[in-house]
Amino acid sequence: MNRQESEAHVLREATADDVHLMLSWRNQETNRHVSKTSHEITAEEHARWWSAVRDDPSRRVLMYVREDLPCGVVTFFDLRLESPRSGAWGFYLDAEGLDGRGETLPAWLGVMREAVEYAFDGLHLDRLDGEVLGHNTVVRQMNRRFRFVEGTPRQELSDGREITVIPISLARTDRRQR
């Protein structure tokens, strides 16, 4: 990817102006199906979440922007910025909009690349953790492509459904370089 292409795909801090987009994307069926919280999130729930995260030093909420168009959200949480530096992350995309434009795969690769770079080059983490649901085989394959390692699966009950949650992690020394 050349410099111009890289600048066309960026992460920026989310703002109050992004809250409605974040909620609409998070409530898309595709995203709810692969999330621990699968119910439709209300505006009140989302407002409480935004109020809690926007000034929390252990969290970052970023918008993924492609070609000047916001199309995804990356969250970093449980940030521990003393040595060893670690944190957890997750993301979701505007699945419906990207699918309609035929941009799902490039956006998915882009958001993962940008998020991993931000974690290690922006936050200077030593380890990046996350979770993936067991049935989400496509994301599990993509995680392996980015060199995330899966931990021991565990069963959880969430929103009235039993799910298999698989922890993932990526050490700074194991990450792919661009």
Side-chain angles (χ1 to χ4, degrees):
M1 181 177 294
N2 65 39
R3 181 176 161 81
Q4 187 175 13
E5 288 172 329
S6 177
E7 290 172 356
H9 309 97
V10 299
L11 291 177
R12 65 160 172 79
E13 283 191 40
T15 68
D17 291 339
D18 299 314
V19 171
H20 67 286
L21 279 177
M22 289 188 278
L23 177 60
S24 69
W25 298 339
R26 179 55 182 81
N27 277 335
Q28 290 175 1
E29 178 63 32
T30 301
N31 291 327
R32 288 188 297 120
H33 177 69
V34 295
S35 299
K36 287 172 77 171
T37 305
S38 62
H39 69 272
E40 194 159 317
I41 295 171
T42 67
E44 295 77 21
E45 277 179 281
H46 194 63
R48 281 193 306 275
W49 170 82
W50 177 248
S51 179
V53 303
R54 68 177 175 215
D55 295 321
D56 183 340
S58 72
R59 301 185 75 121
R60 304 285 187 286
V61 180
L62 307 170
M63 294 296 286
Y64 175 60
V65 179
R66 289 177 52 81
E67 310 297 335
D68 297 321
L69 185 65
C71 61
V73 178
V74 177
T75 60
F76 290 95
F77 51 95
D78 296 338
L79 292 172
R80 290 176 291 286
L81 301 179
E82 64 283 334
S83 190
R85 298 169 71 96
S86 65
W89 80 300
F91 76 93
Y92 54 93
L93 296 170
D94 173 14
E96 294 169 6
L98 289 165
D99 185 53
R101 295 189 301 276
E103 296 178 8
T104 302
L105 183 58
W108 192 359
L109 288 166
V111 73
M112 288 191 71
R113 186 180 308 110
E114 294 297 326
V116 167
E117 285 186 7
Y118 183 87
F120 293 117
D121 299 336
L123 296 172
H124 307 287
L125 300 182
D126 298 305
R127 191 185 77 243
L128 180 59
D129 299 313
E131 296 178 329
V132 62
L133 299 187
H135 69 267
N136 198 348
T137 55
V138 176
V139 167
R140 292 175 66 194
Q141 288 172 339
M142 187 70 75
N143 288 341
R144 285 190 287 275
R145 177 181 179 149
F146 277 82
R147 298 188 175 160
F148 281 89
V149 176
E150 290 186 353
T152 303
R154 67 181 183 278
Q155 297 301 121
E156 290 186 13
L157 192 61
S158 181
D159 279 352
R161 64 185 180 145
E162 189 170 314
I163 55 175
T164 301
V165 178
I166 303 171
I168 60 168
S169 67
L170 176 63
R172 167 188 287 283
T173 54
D174 295 333
R175 77 183 238 207
R176 279 185 183 272
Q177 296 296 326
R178 203 179 265 218

